[in-house]
Amino acid sequence: MGYFNAMAEFRIKLSAPDIADDDIEEVVGVLRSGWLSLGPKVIEFEQAFANYLGVKHAIACNSGTSALHMMMLTAGIGPGDEVITSPFSFIASANCIEMVGAKPVFVDIDELSLNMDPALVEKAITPRTKAVLGVHIFGLSAENDKLKAICERHKLVYLEDACEALGATQNGRKAGDGRHGIAAAWGFYPNKQMTTGEGGMVTTNDEAFATSIRKLRNQGRNLSAAWLEHDVVGYNFRLDEMSAALGLAQLRRIDDMLAKRERVAHAYNERLWPLREHLKPLPEVMGHRRSWFVYSIMLKRHIDRDKVAAKLAEWGVQVGKYFSPPIHLQTCYRKKYGYKEGAFPVTEDIAHRSIALPFHTKLPEKDIDNVCECLHDAIKAMMK
Ligand SMILES: Cc1ncc(COP(=O)(O)O)c(C=O)c1O
C-alpha cells in the first residue's frame, strides 16, 4: 500500500509505459472478440518477436521470471547443480536457479560494463557447475562470445537473461538471438523498453528446447495429444490475449521507442557533463550498442548516495537504487549462504553508488532539466 501511495506523490516519475492509441485499440479489439486466452494474438506476437530478433522460436509466457524458470528446467538444472550468474542484477536472475533446487554461484562484475567478468566466470567453475546465466544488465549485452566459448570448453549450458536488453547489440549482433545462449529470457514489465503489463518470452533456435518450453508453460500438455493429456509436470505460465495484443502493438514501434529512450539518455548526458567531478553516467563500451533500459548514474565516492537520493525524493523526483542491495546481500541469500559485505567488491561498490533517474520515452525536456537541477542542488548542498 505504502508503495502505491509513494508512487502517487512524485512530481517526476521514475518510469512510465509508452501507451499509444493503437495499443489501446489492439487490446480493446481482443476484449470485443471474446477470445481472451490461447488465441491468435499470442501466436502473432511470438512470430513478430522471433522475426525482430532473427531467431527461430519465441514462446510467450506471463513474466521474465517464469521464462527464466522454464529455461532452467529445460536445461536440466536441478538439485546438486551450480549455475554461475551475476550478483549485480534483479533478484530473479538468481531465484530461477533456486526454484529448481540448484545453487546460484555469483562472480563479480567488470566495473565498466557492469556485467560478469568472464575471467572470474571461468575461475568459479567446479565439477558441479552445469550452466552459466549471462545477464545483459542495464541494456548492455554480456560478453556473449567469451561466455559461450567458456561454456563450450567446459561443456556447460550457456543461457541468457535478456530481460533488460531488447535491441542491445554487440558487434552488430542482437543479444538473445539464439546464436550464443541456447535460449534467452525476456521480460515486459511496464518499466521495460516495451511492455505487455506483465509478460515474458523465451527465444531459442533449438527445436527441442522450444517444445519443452511450450509444454511447461501450459501445464505440461503434450502438444500433439488431446487437451487433457499431460506428459510432464508443468505450470500455468501462459500469456493472455490482451497482453499479447499490447505486446504486438508495442513491438511495431520498438525501434522508435528505443530511439526516443536513447535521445533522453543523451540529453541527460549533456546536462550532467558539468557535474562530472561528482558523478559518472553509464559508459559507452566498445563494440556494444546499449538498449537504454534505465538511466543510472554512479556517484563518485565523496558523495553520499543515500542522502542525494533522499533529497531528490523530498523534491518530488522519484529515483531507484539499482541494484542495492545486490543479490548476495539480500536477506534470503545472506541467510541461506552466509554472504557478508566484501564478498563481491566491485558489485557492492557500484550498488552503493548508483542512482537511477526518471527515464522513459515521454520524459519532457523541462523534467530532464529539473531532475538535473535537483541533482546539482543536492550535490552542492552536501559539499558545503
Ligand atoms: C535482469 C532481469 N531478470 C529478470 C527479470 C524478471 O522479469 P519479470 O519482472 O517480468 O518477472 C527482470 C525484471 O525486472 C530483470 O530486470
Side-chain angles (χ1 to χ4, degrees):
M1 192 59 191
Y3 176 71
F4 292 106
N5 286 341
M7 291 268 290
E9 280 165 21
F10 291 105
R11 253 182 330 114
I12 307 181
K13 302 233 177 348
L14 181 58
S15 74
D18 184 325
I19 303 296
D21 288 346
D22 280 355
D23 302 2
I24 295 169
E25 288 307 311
E26 277 280 0
V27 176
V28 170
V30 170
L31 289 170
R32 291 219 165 88
S33 78
W35 197 345
L36 307 190
S37 187
L38 291 163
K41 288 293 166 189
V42 166
I43 296 167
E44 236 185 293
F45 179 37
E46 290 176 340
Q47 281 167 353
F49 200 82
N51 286 345
Y52 176 74
L53 284 175
V55 67
K56 278 194 197 142
H57 309 280
I59 305 101
C61 58
N62 59 1
S63 72
T65 307
S66 47
L68 287 166
H69 186 173
M70 291 190 290
M71 270 169 34
M72 290 296 151
L73 288 168
T74 301
I77 315 292
D81 295 334
E82 293 178 356
V83 178
I84 298 172
T85 192
S86 174
F88 190 71
S89 183
F90 184 61
I91 197 161
S93 304
N95 285 354
C96 61
I97 301 163
E98 288 285 329
M99 282 168 193
V100 297
K103 179 183 177 188
V105 171
F106 300 113
V107 301
D108 214 347
I109 55 170
D110 169 75
E111 64 183 344
L112 187 69
S113 69
L114 310 184
N115 285 321
M116 279 191 294
D117 179 341
L120 297 178
V121 170
E122 192 145 29
K123 278 197 196 136
I125 294 171
T126 73
R128 289 172 177 258
T129 310
K130 195 87 178 264
V132 173
L133 177 66
V135 185
H136 311 311
I137 216 65
F138 296 165
L140 192 93
S141 172
E143 289 300 323
N144 268 338
D145 288 328
K146 289 186 183 161
L147 293 175
K148 185 182 180 197
I150 291 170
C151 286
E152 280 173 357
R153 240 185 343 266
H154 296 272
K155 301 202 166 24
L156 307 176
V157 183
Y158 182 46
L159 300 161
E160 295 175 59
D161 179 343
C163 288
E164 300 190 357
L166 186 60
T169 64
Q170 184 180 17
N171 303 325
R173 280 164 58 165
K174 284 196 174 109
D177 69 355
R179 281 180 281 182
H180 291 102
I182 185 165
W186 306 88
F188 308 123
Y189 183 75
N191 68 346
K192 295 290 192 301
Q193 290 89 331
M194 60 159 279
T195 188
T196 58
E198 298 286 356
M201 191 79 80
V202 176
T203 51
T204 179
N205 278 330
D206 188 286
E207 180 89 39
F209 205 100
T211 302
S212 165
I213 301 283
R214 283 188 197 286
K215 285 186 191 177
L216 286 171
R217 78 157 168 196
N218 191 18
Q219 306 287 9
R221 275 183 183 129
N222 181 322
L223 301 177
S224 51
W227 185 237
L228 288 176
E229 288 180 22
H230 307 257
D231 49 23
V232 292
V233 175
Y235 300 82
N236 178 355
F237 284 163
R238 296 186 302 260
L239 188 72
D240 63 74
E241 287 284 289
M242 291 76 74
S243 303
L246 178 55
L248 196 55
Q250 292 258 305
L251 195 59
R252 285 190 204 116
R253 298 187 288 118
I254 188 68
D255 288 335
D256 176 52
M257 291 196 293
L258 291 178
K260 283 185 178 146
R261 290 176 95 90
E262 190 171 59
R263 278 204 288 281
V264 173
H266 289 168
Y268 266 128
N269 284 351
E270 269 173 33
R271 285 163 179 76
L272 293 177
W273 177 244
L275 287 176
R276 65 193 173 280
E277 33 169 319
H278 306 299
L279 59 86
K280 203 169 78 123
L282 289 173
E284 301 244 336
V285 181
M286 253 229 318
H288 284 266
R289 176 145 195 190
R290 188 185 294 280
S291 163
W292 284 92
F293 165 52
V294 287
Y295 189 85
S296 239
I297 53 167
M298 250 73 73
L299 294 170
K300 302 245 169 121
R301 293 190 181 84
H302 59 280
I303 308 282
D304 183 326
R305 187 272 310 269
D306 290 342
K307 284 192 182 150
V308 171
K311 268 280 163 235
L312 290 170
E314 188 189 315
W315 294 333
V317 177
Q318 190 181 22
V319 294
K321 296 180 188 175
Y322 301 139
F323 289 96
S324 181
I327 303 178
H328 66 288
L329 296 180
Q330 297 285 348
T331 305
C332 46
Y333 284 93
R334 279 182 192 259
K335 272 192 189 154
K336 183 156 184 190
Y337 297 108
Y339 283 117
K340 296 207 164 47
E341 277 81 3
F344 302 106
V346 182
T347 293
E348 290 165 36
D349 178 48
I350 302 283
H352 188 65
R353 296 192 288 119
S354 297
I355 298 189
L357 301 179
F359 186 67
H360 54 89
T361 52
K362 293 185 173 160
L363 194 64
E365 293 265 331
K366 69 169 181 33
D367 284 0
I368 302 176
D369 288 340
N370 192 253
V371 171
C372 294
E373 281 159 20
C374 289
L375 195 55
H376 174 273
D377 292 351
I379 290 172
K380 291 294 158 178
M382 287 187 50
M383 303 303 293
K384 279 183 189 152

